[in-house]
Amino acid sequence: MYYFLLASLIESADKVANTTSVYGAFLKHLKKSAQKELILESADFIQNDNSHQVFNEDSNKLIKHISGDILYLDPPYNQRQYSANYHLLNTIALYKPFKPKGKTGLPEYNRSSYCKKNEVKDSFEELIKNASFKYIFLSYNNEGLMSKEDVENTMKKYGKYDLVTQEYQRFKADKTENRNHKANKTFEYLHILEKNN
Ligand SMILES: C[S@@+](CC[C@H](N)C(=O)[O-])C[C@H]1O[C@@H](n2cnc3c(N)ncnc32)[C@H](O)[C@@H]1O
């Protein structure tokens, strides 16, 4: 019940947050949606009779202790650290106050190697190497720190590789001239590996 209510609160609070969807910084003026009342709506859960386990751990440590048929990976693909960009939701989840520091008020946060250009390839290879799974799926896009070829070359070393590509219109929260990627289209990749174990 506690976690159900917590998930409901986090989802509902996010709907009235005064941000441009991430929490790296706050808007100076209250935007329209942030002036609305916070309404606690119940989080959506699919109930079934299966048993599940949930971990909150670094993937590269956890991978050494789990095994299965299918491993689905959906890591960050750019430098934007999730712990910084969603820190307020983490604060609600942990119910642990922090002292805001600096201009943006960010607390100390975990930094993922998947968001670091000089570490991501090694971390990814280590993860694939240590994975005791028959099939591995990775969602990544064409604007990521690892190129399509980087991922392909790493995965190929460990079994039979395949790729599915889907084109999308780019999400535009900002003006084109301010963006690093000026293209209107983006490609989502699903990298697939049948692993030789
Ligand atoms: C693209 S999001 C995943 C979104 C998720 N699939 C969903 O649908 O809600 C990437 C997630 O990976 C987490 N992450 C980053 N580095 C990690 C690491 N080394 N180990 C485990 N999780 C990590 C981030 O905190 C973030 O929650």
Side-chain angles (χ1 to χ4, degrees):
M1 181 56 77
Y2 177 82
Y3 289 107
F4 166 71
L5 289 171
L6 189 56
S8 305
L9 174 63
I10 289 170
E11 285 186 8
S12 306
D14 187 52
K15 289 196 179 128
V16 293
N18 194 39
T19 64
T20 55
S21 76
V22 292
Y23 294 73
F26 294 86
L27 300 169
K28 284 201 181 81
H29 304 289
L30 273 180
K31 66 176 183 180
K32 268 216 164 119
S33 55
Q35 293 177 31
K36 289 189 183 157
E37 226 173 293
L38 191 161
I39 298 168
L40 194 63
E41 284 179 58
S42 59
D44 220 0
F45 277 97
I46 299 167
Q47 295 206 7
N48 61 39
D49 296 327
N50 298 331
S51 62
H52 301 87
Q53 275 182 293
V54 179
F55 304 90
N56 181 9
E57 211 177 317
D58 188 292
S59 54
N60 287 44
K61 290 187 187 139
L62 177 65
I63 201 70
K64 296 178 183 158
H65 309 290
I66 56 172
S67 61
D69 293 327
I70 296 173
L71 177 68
Y72 171 65
L73 301 167
D74 186 18
Y77 58 83
N78 61 25
Q79 286 97 340
R80 285 191 170 198
Q81 294 280 357
Y82 273 74
S83 313
N85 281 292
Y86 297 99
H87 71 98
L88 216 68
L89 302 178
N90 286 345
T91 298
I92 298 174
L94 297 168
Y95 201 40
K96 202 169 143 197
F98 68 95
K99 266 213 168 104
K101 274 202 300 197
K103 206 171 175 182
T104 57
L106 284 183
E108 285 297 314
Y109 57 88
N110 286 336
R111 286 164 205 270
S112 169
S113 58
Y114 288 87
C115 303
K116 295 181 189 168
K117 181 84 190 147
N118 56 351
E119 290 181 21
V120 60
K121 279 198 245 171
D122 287 346
S123 290
F124 178 63
E125 171 141 16
E126 186 190 67
L127 188 69
I128 299 300
K129 189 174 83 189
N130 289 326
S132 303
F133 285 80
K134 277 188 210 155
Y135 297 96
I136 302 177
F137 295 85
L138 169 80
S139 294
Y140 216 68
N141 80 5
N142 63 315
E143 295 170 10
L145 293 175
M146 291 190 289
S147 70
K148 183 168 81 147
E149 291 71 27
D150 288 337
V151 175
E152 177 178 350
N153 291 337
T154 301
M155 281 183 137
K156 264 186 175 163
K157 290 193 209 168
Y158 298 93
K160 207 170 121 210
Y161 171 81
D162 206 352
L163 176 75
V164 178
T165 305
Q166 172 82 45
E167 186 182 311
Y168 285 102
Q169 284 297 317
R170 225 175 163 282
F171 170 67
K172 288 179 241 171
D174 51 0
K175 290 208 181 83
T176 312
E177 60 266 26
N178 297 335
R179 273 193 259 138
N180 292 334
H181 291 275
K182 296 193 176 15
N184 286 323
K185 286 184 180 147
T186 185
F187 294 92
E188 278 296 331
Y189 300 128
L190 188 67
H191 298 270
I192 306 167
L193 177 69
E194 189 178 344
K195 203 176 176 208
N196 301 328
N197 276 308

